[in-house]
Amino acid sequence: MAQSVVENRDSAFKAAHDVSKLTVAVSEPMHDGYGAAVPSSRANAPGMVGQPPSKVSGLLYGLGLGGFVDGIVLHQILQWHHMVSDVSRYPVNTIAGLEVNNLADGFFHLATWVLVLAASIAAIRAWRQGRLAPNWSFHFGLVLTGWGIFNVVEGLIDHQILGVHHVRDDLGGPLSWDIGFLIFGVLLILSGWSLHKAGLRALERRALAAGNHYSYG
């Protein structure tokens, strides 16, 4: 009987000790608002914790998703052109030519998929470094900018320099559509960068209000 009482007392003391440890752990303030979800790798790069968001992931998302819009909408849904639809060796009105164009479209989509994957890796890497999360304007401004960069580069290289396809090969490849594609890309860059800078200023104001003085430019 005495032994049972002692065992019950020890169990009660152990339970109380465990509850006390849990209470202390819960009541401890979270570090920089990240809490227990902060990975141990952040402790290895303390200089990065609380630093401004990275621009890399947003730009890469814009490049990759912009490529997907081009490939899915213009190549597949509207079928205005394919990757090498203006190359005389691969006419799209023949089975063999269409097969080559579909293959080229597949490699194009693979490249855009790699860009989106790289954007995801860059976003996770920035989170693991402890960088601040971007606001919507900061991030989507960069996405629009990346999309515009894709349009300009693709429009200059594939449409003008290499001439492997044009925006409206179904209409004979009129130059006006190629120019419009480039203008649209420039407008995306200008509007996207303007939106990004607005988000950047909001982050700076938030940092100043919190007593931080980081340069977000």
Side-chain angles (χ1 to χ4, degrees):
M1 182 71 175
Q3 182 178 0
S4 176
V5 171
V6 171
E7 289 177 352
N8 290 337
R9 183 194 62 188
D10 291 342
S11 298
F13 281 142
K14 184 177 183 301
H17 179 66
D18 291 341
V19 170
S20 176
K21 286 169 60 179
L22 179 61
T23 304
V24 171
V26 171
S27 62
E28 286 179 349
M30 296 190 219
H31 179 64
D32 289 338
Y34 292 103
V38 177
S40 60
S41 61
R42 293 192 177 191
N44 298 329
M48 300 300 294
V49 175
Q51 289 295 310
S54 172
K55 298 180 176 67
V56 175
S57 63
L59 289 172
L60 286 175
Y61 272 126
L63 290 168
L65 295 176
F68 272 129
V69 170
D70 184 282
I72 294 173
V73 177
L74 303 186
H75 292 211
Q76 296 179 320
I77 297 176
L78 298 177
Q79 298 182 24
W80 284 357
H81 64 260
H82 296 281
M83 202 62 210
V84 289
S85 53
D86 199 39
V87 177
S88 58
R89 292 176 56 191
Y90 311 118
V92 295
N93 57 357
T94 66
I95 298 294
L98 191 57
E99 286 177 343
V100 172
N101 273 278
N102 282 332
L103 177 64
D105 287 350
F107 282 117
F108 171 72
H109 283 136
L110 178 62
T112 58
W113 178 84
V114 169
L115 287 171
V116 172
L117 176 63
S120 300
I121 293 173
I124 294 172
R125 183 171 179 271
W127 174 78
R128 289 178 63 84
Q129 289 175 338
R131 287 179 174 272
L132 297 175
N135 55 32
W136 293 108
S137 299
F138 182 100
H139 181 70
F140 282 107
L142 290 173
V143 172
L144 290 177
T145 301
W147 182 8
I149 292 172
F150 167 83
N151 278 15
V152 170
V153 171
E154 204 261 348
L156 289 175
I157 294 178
D158 290 340
H159 301 174
Q160 306 305 319
I161 298 175
L162 298 179
V164 292
H165 69 260
H166 301 278
V167 176
R168 295 301 302 268
D169 279 337
D170 61 326
L171 300 178
L175 181 61
S176 58
W177 281 88
D178 289 351
I179 294 175
F181 187 82
L182 290 171
I183 292 174
F184 179 60
V186 171
L187 291 176
L188 283 173
I189 294 173
L190 294 177
S191 60
W193 193 250
S194 176
L195 181 63
H196 164 70
K197 296 298 285 186
L200 195 63
R201 289 190 293 270
L203 286 175
E204 289 175 341
R205 289 193 297 269
R206 186 187 306 172
L208 289 174
N212 298 325
H213 301 284
Y214 296 124
S215 176
Y216 282 36

